[in-house]
Amino acid sequence: MSSLRARMALLLVVAVLVTAASAGLLVFTLGAASLQLDRLVSAQKRLDLLSAVSGRIGDYALVALQAAQEGRGLGRDGLNAARQRTDIAFERFETTLAADVMRLGDEEQRTLMAARSRIVARLRAQFEVMDRQVRAALTQDNPAVGVRIALDVFAAGFGAPLGHAMEEERMAAQAAQDEVEALRVRTMRWGLLGVAAAIVLAVALYQLLARSLLRRVSDVATAASAIARGRSDTRLLVTGHDELSLAMARFNRMAAHLARREARLVADQRHLQETVDSRTAELRAANVRLSSIDVARRRFFTDVSHELRTPLTVILGEAEVSLRPAEPRADDMRAALLVIQNRARKLHRRVEDLLRIARSESGQIELERSLFPVAGLIDEVRESMRPVARAAGVALETDAPEDLVADGDHDWLRQTLDGLVANALRHSAPGSRVTISGRLQDGQVVLSVNDEGSGIPPEELPHVFERFWRGAGQTSEGNGFGIGLALAKWIVDRHGGTIEIESRTGSEADGAAGTRVTIRLPLTVPDETLEAAQ
């Protein structure tokens, strides 16, 4: 090219193309990453909804068995309510699946996604058949046998499709994770290739344009050398109106423009690198959180199976032993009924724990805010836990002024204190004491439960409010599911308050062992906090 104008135009076009290609690659990468993240979130949501369907069907089975034990025509209201909750769970999954199908742009992917609805429809049809069979069995002379047969037949055909559906959602989530990782690798590879190509192109343009100009324009070389030595005020004397004169004039403007452009390019590159590093860190953290949640849930379901199976085994065993004699003695029957009653209460507490944690996860807990005396609340907790304290040989004491009034949901706060006192009694030795107190401090209502038990190890304190976490070695019956403190924190948070735990183990030399749980509630619950709880 003999025209300087053409050469400069070529340089400009190349620069624009490189910039446009970089911007296009960035937009494409961010769009692809966002799409895969949406797929990951959608798959996880559908997996949670399938778990909810399984849980609702389990609740329905328990209600059906209870209705069968009550007799013909009884327990229908509970059965209808369980059926309605199960239908709602199915509808939520179907609505979410339909929304995910509509968001897909690829027709093949939409067809594959829509095919999953057939499995859900089959599961729902199986449930409806079981429901009709259960209702028909309840009208027979021996409803318990008919209900068990219906449940057994349903379980034989329901588990495999449900497991297949859940496995598909797990595979979809894993595929989205793998695609994000592959996208990151491809982006880095193409980015490095783009940088190398830009360097090669820059060198080629320099050889094509600059060397030719240096041979013909010695004064331009001299000025460039002066600027390279630090003389930034060096400018060329422009004479004439030809292309060379225009190039010399542009050289003068370039001296100032290059510095600004280089600064912008460095800033943009730094910002891009920070964005990539941030997104990578977020993805890694999300993977770690998902892995932790999966481990906790697997452990939770294992513990639930053990906790529910043990009292049921004892109940069935006592019933069978008592029914063996033709005419069992009254004392034997009473002793067996007492054992059955005790185990049934433990089983009821476990089921109530599961219901409360399910409501907290779905946001179904609504606070009924009112003013109530703190001393009355503490007295109710003491009376409800007095039999447990007497059985454990632990003294239960209270301390609260009569004029102290709190603003909140009386029932939920009572259940929270019941759980805290139950934990304190469970970890207290006979002859010790547990104190429930209330006071006004710094414009807040402060409720505390203090025990003289073995304490919590310091390494476990940061995890006590985590859901499903039960601490080292907490696997025996009666230790709960690891949801009590998590639910207590959820309720206190909805009241706009805070909950803290202080504990000392017996190995510490600065004082006796024991644990103190402190709840701080505002005198008035803010309206926005109450709305968030609803």
Side-chain angles (χ1 to χ4, degrees):
M1 295 182 182
S2 59
S3 174
L4 296 178
R5 180 177 299 176
R7 295 185 180 187
M8 296 300 296
L10 175 61
L11 180 62
L12 181 60
V13 168
V14 171
V16 170
L17 291 177
V18 171
T19 304
S22 300
L25 179 61
L26 175 61
V27 172
F28 173 78
T29 302
L30 294 179
S34 177
L35 178 60
Q36 297 305 323
L37 288 176
D38 289 341
R39 289 179 54 195
L40 178 61
V41 172
S42 299
Q44 185 63 41
K45 183 178 180 181
R46 294 193 299 272
L47 183 60
D48 292 340
L49 289 175
L50 284 175
S51 299
V53 169
S54 177
R56 294 303 184 192
I57 292 176
D59 295 340
Y60 176 90
L62 292 177
V63 173
L65 290 174
Q66 183 178 1
Q69 293 175 358
E70 291 178 357
R72 182 185 301 175
L74 300 179
R76 292 298 181 89
D77 293 339
L79 194 64
N80 291 333
R83 165 64 187 270
Q84 184 178 6
R85 289 193 295 268
T86 305
D87 289 339
I88 292 174
F90 273 113
E91 291 173 359
R92 286 179 178 173
F93 180 84
E94 292 172 352
T95 302
T96 301
L97 182 61
D100 293 340
V101 170
M102 295 303 297
R103 284 199 299 267
L104 294 175
D106 189 355
E107 186 66 25
E108 181 179 357
Q109 292 182 355
R110 293 179 64 178
T111 302
L112 293 176
M113 182 68 73
R116 300 182 185 178
S117 62
R118 293 197 296 270
I119 298 178
V120 178
R122 175 186 172 187
L123 297 178
R124 189 167 187 177
Q126 290 178 347
F127 172 75
E128 292 175 353
V129 171
M130 180 196 65
D131 180 62
R132 291 194 296 270
Q133 293 174 350
V134 168
R135 294 178 185 275
L138 290 177
T139 62
Q140 300 175 1
D141 294 333
N142 191 359
V145 175
V147 169
R148 289 192 182 95
I149 292 175
L151 293 178
D152 291 340
V153 172
F154 172 76
F158 184 80
L162 178 62
H164 179 69
M166 297 183 72
E167 183 62 24
E168 282 190 346
E169 300 303 338
R170 292 192 185 96
M171 292 176 62
Q174 185 62 42
Q177 293 180 7
D178 295 341
E179 186 63 26
V180 170
E181 179 63 21
L183 179 62
R184 183 185 69 84
V185 174
R186 289 198 302 269
T187 302
M188 293 182 62
R189 183 184 299 117
W190 285 107
L192 293 175
L193 291 177
V195 171
I199 294 175
V200 172
L201 182 60
V203 172
L205 291 176
Y206 175 80
Q207 294 294 331
L208 178 63
L209 301 178
R211 189 160 59 178
S212 176
L213 291 176
L214 288 175
R215 285 198 304 265
R216 296 184 297 112
V217 189
S218 60
D219 53 346
V220 174
T222 302
S225 178
I227 292 177
R229 290 195 301 268
R231 296 182 56 184
S232 58
D233 57 342
T234 301
R235 296 295 182 268
L236 294 173
L237 179 61
V238 180
T239 59
H241 302 283
D242 55 6
E243 289 184 344
L244 183 57
S245 299
L246 293 176
M248 296 169 67
R250 290 170 183 172
F251 181 87
N252 292 334
R253 293 194 298 270
M254 216 187 284
H257 178 71
L258 285 177
R260 294 194 300 269
R261 184 170 182 177
E262 183 180 2
R264 287 196 301 270
L265 289 175
V266 172
D268 291 342
Q269 184 180 8
R270 186 183 299 111
H271 178 69
L272 177 60
Q273 185 63 39
E274 291 175 354
T275 302
V276 173
D277 293 342
S278 176
R279 294 298 175 86
T280 303
E282 291 176 0
L283 289 175
R284 290 175 179 172
N287 289 335
V288 172
R289 289 195 298 270
L290 288 175
S291 299
S292 300
I293 291 174
D294 184 60
V295 171
R297 286 185 181 275
R298 287 199 300 268
R299 179 183 176 185
F300 169 71
F301 288 131
T302 302
D303 293 342
V304 166
S305 300
H306 173 74
E307 292 280 354
L308 298 183
R309 182 173 62 248
T310 300
L312 287 176
T313 302
V314 175
I315 290 173
L316 293 175
E318 289 291 335
E320 292 176 357
V321 171
S322 300
L323 293 175
R324 285 176 183 175
E327 295 182 359
R329 295 187 305 171
D331 293 341
D332 295 339
M333 290 293 294
R334 178 175 177 81
L337 289 175
L338 288 175
V339 173
I340 292 174
Q341 182 187 43
N342 181 44
R343 292 294 176 167
R345 285 177 176 173
K346 290 183 178 181
L347 185 60
H348 181 266
R349 285 198 297 270
R350 291 294 177 256
V351 174
E352 288 295 325
D353 288 340
L354 294 175
L355 290 176
R356 284 196 294 269
I357 200 64
R359 291 171 182 170
S360 69
E361 287 183 342
S362 60
Q364 294 180 358
I365 295 180
E366 297 183 358
L367 299 181
E368 296 182 1
R369 174 178 168 184
S370 63
L371 294 175
F372 59 87
V374 174
L377 172 66
I378 293 178
D379 289 340
E380 291 182 16
V381 175
R382 179 187 59 189
E383 291 302 321
S384 65
M385 300 305 298
R386 189 190 297 274
V388 181
R390 187 183 300 112
V394 178
L396 192 59
E397 301 180 356
T398 61
D399 180 19
E402 295 293 335
D403 58 347
L404 181 58
V405 177
D407 182 9
D409 191 304
H410 178 275
D411 292 337
W412 277 113
L413 290 176
R414 181 184 58 78
Q415 293 185 34
T416 300
L417 288 179
D418 281 344
L420 297 179
V421 174
N423 285 341
L425 293 174
R426 186 163 53 245
H427 296 90
S428 296
S432 61
R433 62 179 178 177
V434 173
T435 304
I436 315 171
S437 61
R439 65 184 185 279
L440 182 64
Q441 180 180 3
D442 299 331
Q444 293 180 318
V445 176
V446 180
L447 306 174
S448 62
V449 177
N450 190 23
D451 64 59
E452 299 174 352
S454 57
I456 303 173
E459 64 274 10
E460 297 183 3
L461 278 176
H463 305 285
V464 294
F465 291 116
E466 294 179 5
R467 190 162 295 176
F468 310 132
W469 189 88
R470 302 174 61 187
Q474 300 295 315
T475 58
S476 61
E477 180 184 357
N479 286 320
F481 297 147
I483 59 179
L485 288 177
L487 182 61
K489 186 176 187 304
W490 191 89
I491 294 173
V492 173
D493 289 342
R494 292 305 182 272
H495 281 79
T498 60
I499 182 171
E500 302 172 352
I501 292 185
E502 301 175 6
S503 183
R504 293 191 302 271
T505 60
S507 60
E508 297 181 3
D510 56 349
T515 301
R516 176 188 296 273
V517 182
T518 304
I519 298 175
R520 302 181 185 273
L521 301 175
L523 290 178
T524 301
V525 179
D527 292 337
E528 57 271 16
T529 302
L530 192 61
E531 292 175 359
Q534 296 177 350

